[in-house]
């Protein structure tokens, strides 16, 4: 039975989770949408970020410095995938899977055991689920600053080369762009963001867990797709598009809270998420097929560029 | 200018699909040469252009441009010397990026890309003028995504991109083949104009014999991975389609009827 009060109580927490994991979803947007690269490193690098941050904080390092270190560790993970793909010629999906697998061992090495807790009572954490409203505010500040930096970077000559790499490799190479470097830059940036998100999320939860990244790529894809379906038509500006991914992530966590309230068990959640994402991924394919078999009549007076 | 020596290329060596696409091809272009290239399907025309552009490594031989040996350079490094327009209008531009962004990327071909803004205001003004000179109604669509344009418009943009940063060599591979006749003629005229104004050295593959005769100062015919005919200057000007046909029948044993070469 749906318990409205319980759901409303859970909602602020979902918003905080959605905002903090939304940074991970922005990372997924960079690889999946900008680079056209389905990067499965994410499941590993999210945990790497959490592990690095938690261990450093436990050593007495400033939590903000720990976030930077987590970002750098994520960048290294992205570089590893880029290296597998470009230098060793391994197909993109497989390169990500290999990194993800290797990162499991590395994450275990970093943490020493499968779970490490940091208490907000003992350390001055950046965010904590004990203080949900500040966590949301801090998360949103991170989101806005990061979107600003990404907006700037992808507008530079180098950023534009990365976008061209993702859009049309042939064109990029013909215009003198080293597409291998373009892909590596995208992967490094993306996984840096993912790890940063993991570092914030671990602090929020008060612990880093070896399984915290499992299924993260699916959450990221879901956020990208939800954001696109809901806001794709109204948000044309790139910065707003990135923001819609974060909103997508918030909605994802809200829906999860809802289905949990409806009685779905937490272990069934992953199947639920996988199926939802599968359906949303199928929509463009199905609608393409539908359009191919049901050609739309040309709108009267509509301006078209079809033909030559 | 361009010097190709003993160039050979075999695809899928050692498999049932083994195909020797170029056999010991040598060719020297002079500064300012505009060469048209004809030949039947599978003659090796695209393979020769791709070898020059560095799409994949060649088996043997050497390629140099203005004395620089580019044989071992990767494709993106050769782009410094070479501008290209492909047969497929989708291939030369980034569909998700604006016309201005595509042009700005091309303007930095062969240059070091930095963290400065990818397109300046001054550039935008320049591109606007360039676009209006195309006469394709694009001047007010500077920031439109290239994916919204027609094939002909995209090829015209790709031509601009290939020549914005003056290349030492321009490679056109049947770049009008996918367009309707009227648009093809427009894009061809634009190619002529750009080559002449910038005094470019160019190679243009075409399956239209008349175009091959009417454009450029030199004509090459390829057959089964070899250059079998090479005329230039006055001799080329006097050529007729019938001469090319005779030449073609001579080497192919009169089998050309089912080829897609266009006679008129
Ligand atoms: N990338 C490739 N892989 C395998 N075979 C190829 C490739 N490119 C061209 N070929 C083969 O090489 C031969 C020459 O092709 P091409 O140069 O494209 O001919 P064309 O003169 O029509 O442009 C053809 O038999 C073609 O099938
Ligand atoms: Mg060809």
């Amino acid at each position: 039975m749906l318990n409205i009060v319980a759901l409303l109580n859970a909602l602020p927490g979902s918003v905080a989770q959605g905002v903090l994991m939304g940074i991970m979803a922005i990372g997924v947007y960079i690889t999946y949408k900008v680079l056209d690269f389905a990067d499965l490193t994410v499941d590993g690098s999210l945990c790497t970020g959490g592990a690095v941050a938690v261990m450093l904080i436990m050593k007495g390092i400033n939590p903000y410095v720990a976030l930077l270190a987590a970002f750098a560790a994520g960048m290294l993970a992205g570089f590893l995938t880029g290296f597998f793909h470009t230098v060793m010629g391994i197909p993109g999906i497989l390169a990500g899977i290999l990194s993800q697998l290797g990162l499991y061992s590395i994450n275990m090495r970093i943490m020493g055991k499968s779970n490490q807790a940091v208490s907000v009572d003992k350390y001055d954490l950046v965010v904590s689920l004990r203080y949900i409203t500040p966590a949301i505010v801090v998360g949103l500040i991170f989101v806005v600053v990061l979107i600003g930096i990404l907006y700037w970077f992808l507008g530079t000559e180098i950023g534009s080369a990365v976008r061209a790499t993702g859009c049309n490799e042939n064109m990029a190479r013909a215009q003198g762009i080293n597409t291998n470097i373009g892909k590596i830059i995208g992967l490094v940036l993306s996984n840096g963001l993912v790890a940063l998100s993991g570092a914030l999320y671990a602090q929020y939860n008060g612990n880093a867990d070896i399984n915290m990244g499992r299924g993260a790529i699916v959450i990221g894809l879901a956020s990208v797709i939800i954001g696109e379906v809901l806001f794709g038509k109204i948000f044309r500006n790139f910065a707003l598009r990135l923001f819609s991914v974060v909103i997508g992530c918030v909605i994802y966590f809200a829906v999860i809270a809802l289905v949990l309230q409806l009685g779905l068990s937490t272990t069934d959640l992953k199947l639920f998420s996988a199926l939802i994402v599968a359906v949303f991924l199928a929509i463009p394919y199905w609608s393409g097929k539908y359009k191919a078999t049901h050609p739309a009549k040309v709108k009267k007076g509509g301006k078209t560029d079809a033909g030559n | 200018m361009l010097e190709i020596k003993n160039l050979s290329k075999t695809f899928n060596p050692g498999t049932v699909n083994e195909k020797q696409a170029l056999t010991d091809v040598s060719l020297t272009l002079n500064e300012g040469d505009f060469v048209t290239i004809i030949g039947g399907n599978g003659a090796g025309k695209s393979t020769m252009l791709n070898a020059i552009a560095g799409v994949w490594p060649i088996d043997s031989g050497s390629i140099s441009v203005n004395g620089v040996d580019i044989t071992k350079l990767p494709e993106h490094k050769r782009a410094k010397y070479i501008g290209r327009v492909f047969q497929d209008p989708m291939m030369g531009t980034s569909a998700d990026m604006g016309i201005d962004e595509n042009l700005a990327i091309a303007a930095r071909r062969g240059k070091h890309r930095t963290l400065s803004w990818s397109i300046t205001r001054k550039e935008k003004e320049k591109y606007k003028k360039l676009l209006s000179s195309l006469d394709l109604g694009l001047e007010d669509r500077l920031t439109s995504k290239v994916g919204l344009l027609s094939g002909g418009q995209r090829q015209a943009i790709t031509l601009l991109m290939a020549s914005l940063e003056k290349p030492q060599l321009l490679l056109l591979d049947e770049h009008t083949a996918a367009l309707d006749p009227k648009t093809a003629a427009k894009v061809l005229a634009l190619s002529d104009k750009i080559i002449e104004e910038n005094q470019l050295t160019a190679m243009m593959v075409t399956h239209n014999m008349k175009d091959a005769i009417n454009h450029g100062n030199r004509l090459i015919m390829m057959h089964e991975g070899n250059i079998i005919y090479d005329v230039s200057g006055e001799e080329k000007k006097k050529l007729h389609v019938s001469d090319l046909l005779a030449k073609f029948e001579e080497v192919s044993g009169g089998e050309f009827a089912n080829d897609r070469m266009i006679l008129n």
Side-chain angles (χ1 to χ4, degrees), chain B residues 11-12 19 21 40-47 56:
Chain B
F11 289 108
N12 310 312
K19 172 76 200 175
N41 252 343
K45 308 179 295 291
S46 296
T47 304
W56 19 248

Side-chain angles (χ1 to χ4, degrees), chain A residues 155 157 163 168 173 175 307, chain B residues 75 93 101 108 113-114 150:
Chain A
E157 290 174 349
R163 282 189 293 145
N168 182 349
R173 279 194 294 266
Q175 300 305 335
Chain B
E75 189 179 359
T93 46
E101 292 180 302
R108 287 154 180 79
R113 288 171 213 266
T114 67
S150 68

Side-chain angles (χ1 to χ4, degrees), chain B residues 130-198:
Chain B
L130 270 176
L131 288 177
S132 54
S133 77
L134 291 183
D135 198 23
L136 287 167
L138 291 175
E139 50 276 13
D140 299 322
R141 303 182 60 185
L142 193 61
T143 54
S144 293
K145 300 262 179 287
V146 172
L148 300 171
L149 307 184
S150 68
Q153 288 171 328
R154 286 181 82 153
Q155 287 302 66
I157 302 282
T158 312
L159 260 174
L160 280 187
M161 289 168 64
S163 56
L164 210 49
E165 173 66 21
K166 187 180 165 180
Q168 297 183 21
L169 179 64
L170 178 65
L171 302 178
L172 310 169
D173 190 357
E174 301 205 46
H175 66 308
T176 62
L179 311 177
D180 68 77
K182 219 176 111 200
T183 317
K186 225 172 172 176
V187 170
L188 197 55
L190 177 67
S191 314
D192 264 342
K193 185 174 157 234
I194 285 177
I195 290 169
E196 194 174 308
E197 278 175 3
N198 298 291

Side-chain angles (χ1 to χ4, degrees), chain B residues 27 29 33-39 48 202-204 206 208-222 227-233 235-241 243-245 247-248 261:
Chain B
L27 174 72
L29 296 196
D33 265 354
F34 177 5
V35 191
T36 56
I37 304 170
I38 55 171
M48 182 163 78
M203 300 173 87
M204 179 174 86
T206 174
N208 185 318
M209 294 206 198
K210 225 177 189 156
D211 286 345
I213 292 171
N214 291 339
H215 298 264
N217 65 324
R218 187 169 167 187
L219 182 148
I220 286 172
M221 187 187 278
M222 290 188 73
I227 294 175
I228 53 152
Y229 189 44
D230 183 349
V231 279
S232 51
E235 199 185 343
K236 173 179 180 276
K237 280 185 195 151
K238 288 193 213 112
L239 273 181
H240 287 283
V241 168
D243 302 324
L244 294 180
L245 281 181
K247 196 82 202 162
F248 195 78
M261 272 205 238

Side-chain angles (χ1 to χ4, degrees), chain A residues 151-153 155-161 163-164 167-168 170-171 173-179 303 305-308, chain B residues 75-76 79 90-93 95-96 101-102 105-106 108-109 113-118 141 148 150-152 180 183:
Chain A
Y151 186 83
W152 161 76
F153 175 71
T156 65
E157 290 174 349
I158 292 175
S160 175
R163 282 189 293 145
C167 186
N168 182 349
N170 261 305
M171 173 272 194
R173 279 194 294 266
Q175 300 305 335
I177 292 166
N178 186 338
T179 50
K303 206 171 135 192
D305 280 311
N308 294 297
Chain B
E75 189 179 359
H76 70 270
M90 301 299 154
M91 223 158 134
T93 46
D96 295 341
E101 292 180 302
N102 273 275
I105 283 176
R108 287 154 180 79
R109 178 156 43 76
R113 288 171 213 266
T114 67
L115 287 176
S116 49
W117 207 237
S118 64
R141 303 182 60 185
L148 300 171
S150 68
D180 68 77
T183 317

